[in-house]
Amino acid sequence: MFTLIMRRPDGSTFRLVLDIRTSRLTDEAGRLIDISPLGVVYDNEGETLRDAPGTTRERAEPKSRSVKVLRIQLGLACNFSCAYCVQDRARPAHDEKPSDVAAFIAGLDAWISGAPAVVELWGGEPLLYWHKLKPLVEGLRHRWPEVKLRLTTNGSLLDMDKVDWLVSLGDVSVTVSHDGPGQHLRGKDPLDTLETLEAIRSLFARLGTFAKFHAVMSLPHHSPIALLHYFFDRLGTTDIQVSSSGLKYPPTKDSGLHLVPGNPDEYTAMRHDLAREFRTPYVFANAIVAAPLRHLLYQFAKSVPARARGQGCNMDNPEHLAVTLSGDVIVCHNTSPATHKIGSVHDFDAIRLGHSTSWHHRPECSSCPALLSCGGACMMMEGRERVLSCDNNFSHGLVYLATLLYALTGAKLLRIEGQRIRHLGITSFDF
Ligand code: SF4
Ligand code: SF4
């Protein structure tokens, strides 16, 4: 239970109460805060939700054959080298033969109990695997005409032919991973190449809200306004949706440490910048704020109990499965079978989610006011990586909470108080 100290524009203060065990946001008298100004009503359906798995390294959970989200990893090769790429930990990668595609599709019936709702195509950079991607996706579309297809690409290999092909697939969402003004930290900017720019413009014009950019923020480039304008200017329209995972992961190399805040003051300054810009109406309305706020609001509206809350990335969900074309099951699409294989579709009942610890077994998460935004960060990370990742997610998650509170009450979050705020001995945290 946390007390949130809020300040109104006239300088007066009041208190709210946040209970992360029940996803309830109330005033001090225990009355629920009105969420209807954001078009949402309480339905308390949380009680009907089933328990989330509480996987630990000692007790690994099985997966379900009723797959809802199937993530297919084509390989981890990439033509970029980003300082904070979570997949850097997994390279070098496996590389399957094109002939594996036919075997993969032909073998589906042996282990999956029906069409998934969603199939996600992942690399590395999936368009590097064009020779496998094209027959795979066409085969899956033929087999599951209703399935939603999702592709995430760095966009550098898109051309008009590939865009025509993507659009022709029907019910496809494409996310272009691009950091806007911070793109130069990753390497070449695909939007600097006229042919690629034209292809991406066409993709966004034809897919509408089924196309978006996804950006990772860094300390030098964390302005959502600068990010949006970068894309608005390059694509020549403000009708562009952008999502962001904030800072999220720590850099994989020490040479990237300048990309994340190095002390509490830098985190505080970044939070204040973000909170101010998130309140700007066109930023607030864009997916960069709207999508995470919807996620937060969903939990409050349903009063999602802690027991039903899974990991933020969903890869602890038994119905979310990450596979390679040869049938290896991996923790998630960001890992390699060489290090994170958890089974095989050819021996489905033996699959167990290893290498992972759910937030339920991490005491800092159970006492974290950012839990509803963060979802426990990466369940695989440990040690220094985990600490950095937690700090990044904590700071960013609080900005979403503060933004939601501002939208509901018109007041700014000043301070959070509680018996324990993440770490033992911390009972007060200034936003
Ligand atoms: S910010 Fe850290 S403590 Fe809080 S939920 Fe995320 S990983 Fe857990
Ligand atoms: S386990 Fe989840 S958070 Fe961690 S790398 Fe995989 S998808 Fe991302």
Side-chain angles (χ1 to χ4, degrees):
M1 200 87 89
F2 301 99
T3 302
L4 311 174
I5 320 295
M6 308 293 298
R7 185 172 61 201
R8 299 186 183 91
D10 66 6
S12 62
T13 60
F14 64 99
R15 289 164 178 253
L16 297 175
V17 178
L18 168 68
D19 187 346
I20 58 166
R21 288 166 311 160
T22 56
S23 303
R24 281 166 61 93
L25 185 63
T26 64
D27 63 14
E28 282 189 286
R31 289 178 298 240
L32 287 168
I33 300 304
D34 183 13
I35 55 174
S36 62
L38 292 179
V40 183
V41 290
Y42 289 103
D43 63 25
N44 293 319
E45 281 177 7
E47 279 314 313
T48 64
L49 299 173
R50 67 174 188 205
D51 287 0
T55 196
T56 64
R57 275 155 211 267
E58 293 72 42
R59 202 195 70 211
E61 300 284 334
K63 290 283 183 179
S64 166
R65 290 174 186 268
S66 301
V67 180
K68 280 202 183 125
V69 177
L70 179 63
R71 300 185 184 190
I72 304 176
Q73 196 216 66
L74 293 148
L76 285 170
C78 186
N79 53 343
F80 282 8
S81 176
C82 310
Y84 36 73
C85 179
V86 70
Q87 295 186 343
D88 244 15
R89 295 158 178 83
R91 284 185 258 267
H94 61 107
D95 188 15
E96 287 127 321
K97 304 173 290 299
S99 56
D100 289 335
V101 171
F104 178 81
I105 291 175
L108 283 168
D109 276 344
W111 58 269
I112 201 164
S113 70
V118 175
V119 172
E120 298 182 0
L121 291 313
W122 289 95
E125 168 46 47
L127 293 178
L128 277 179
Y129 296 98
W130 180 245
H131 57 296
K132 293 191 278 191
L133 178 72
K134 188 168 183 291
L136 173 68
V137 171
E138 288 172 358
L140 292 171
R141 171 54 82 221
H142 178 74
R143 183 183 185 86
W144 294 323
E146 307 293 324
V147 79
K148 295 181 195 312
L149 297 166
R150 291 185 191 153
L151 175 84
T152 298
T153 168
N154 63 33
S156 63
L157 301 173
L158 280 171
D159 57 29
M160 216 48 105
D161 287 344
K162 290 192 177 74
V163 169
D164 287 344
W165 175 77
L166 281 165
V167 173
S168 76
L169 292 169
D171 210 344
V172 66
S173 309
V174 179
T175 299
V176 178
S177 173
H178 187 299
D179 295 349
Q183 180 67 19
H184 62 93
L185 297 171
R186 302 172 60 170
K188 198 168 166 284
D189 184 345
L191 302 180
D192 284 343
T193 305
L194 191 58
E195 191 200 8
T196 317
L197 174 64
E198 287 304 329
I200 291 176
R201 276 190 181 141
S202 171
L203 181 79
F204 276 69
R206 292 156 76 187
L207 288 187
T209 53
F210 287 89
K212 68 175 164 72
F213 287 104
H214 181 85
V216 176
M217 290 180 178
S218 61
L219 182 61
H221 296 285
H222 63 262
S223 162
I225 289 182
L227 186 63
L228 292 186
H229 280 273
Y230 193 90
F231 297 126
F232 294 169
D233 292 349
R234 294 303 186 95
L235 269 68
T237 169
T238 57
D239 199 10
I240 300 288
Q241 295 301 310
V242 180
S243 63
S244 174
S245 43
L247 295 164
K248 197 131 176 128
Y249 302 117
T252 47
K253 302 175 189 76
D254 281 354
S255 58
L257 279 176
H258 66 287
L259 300 175
V260 291
N263 57 57
D265 288 345
E266 285 183 344
Y267 273 114
T268 304
M270 188 167 166
R271 271 197 307 280
H272 290 180
D273 289 347
L274 285 169
R276 190 180 57 254
E277 293 198 13
F278 278 4
R279 293 193 292 269
T280 309
Y282 69 89
V283 181
F284 185 83
N286 196 285
I288 197 165
V289 177
L293 287 205
R294 255 199 317 275
H295 173 67
L296 251 182
L297 264 176
Y298 165 90
Q299 295 179 75
F300 286 128
K302 300 213 170 310
S303 302
V304 174
R307 62 162 184 77
R309 186 175 301 123
Q311 212 65 19
C313 68
N314 278 325
M315 286 314 296
D316 62 334
N317 186 325
E319 291 161 351
H320 288 228
L321 197 73
V323 297
T324 67
L325 288 179
S326 56
D328 287 337
V329 180
I330 43 185
V331 176
C332 74
H333 58 283
N334 289 323
T335 57
S336 159
T339 53
H340 289 81
K341 180 173 170 176
I342 59 169
S344 164
V345 297
H346 308 303
D347 186 11
F348 203 95
D349 296 338
I351 300 169
R352 292 290 181 276
L353 177 58
H355 307 282
S356 307
T357 301
S358 142
W359 72 264
H360 290 268
H361 299 280
R362 298 186 187 266
E364 72 276 16
C365 297
S366 304
S367 48
C368 175
L371 174 68
L372 273 58
S373 293
C374 167
C378 178
M379 59 193 177
M380 295 183 295
M381 283 183 190
E382 299 295 345
R384 174 174 166 274
E385 266 190 342
R386 169 84 192 164
V387 171
L388 274 170
S389 169
C390 175
D391 285 349
N392 292 347
N393 279 278
F394 179 69
S395 202
H396 211 73
L398 289 187
V399 180
Y400 291 127
L401 178 64
T403 304
L404 180 67
L405 295 172
Y406 182 81
L408 292 173
T409 67
K412 292 181 184 168
L413 176 63
L414 277 187
R415 194 167 63 255
I416 301 172
E417 293 173 350
Q419 282 195 334
R420 169 179 174 169
I421 299 176
R422 278 199 301 168
H423 306 301
L424 279 172
I426 309 290
T427 55
S428 175
F429 186 88
D430 288 337
F431 180 77

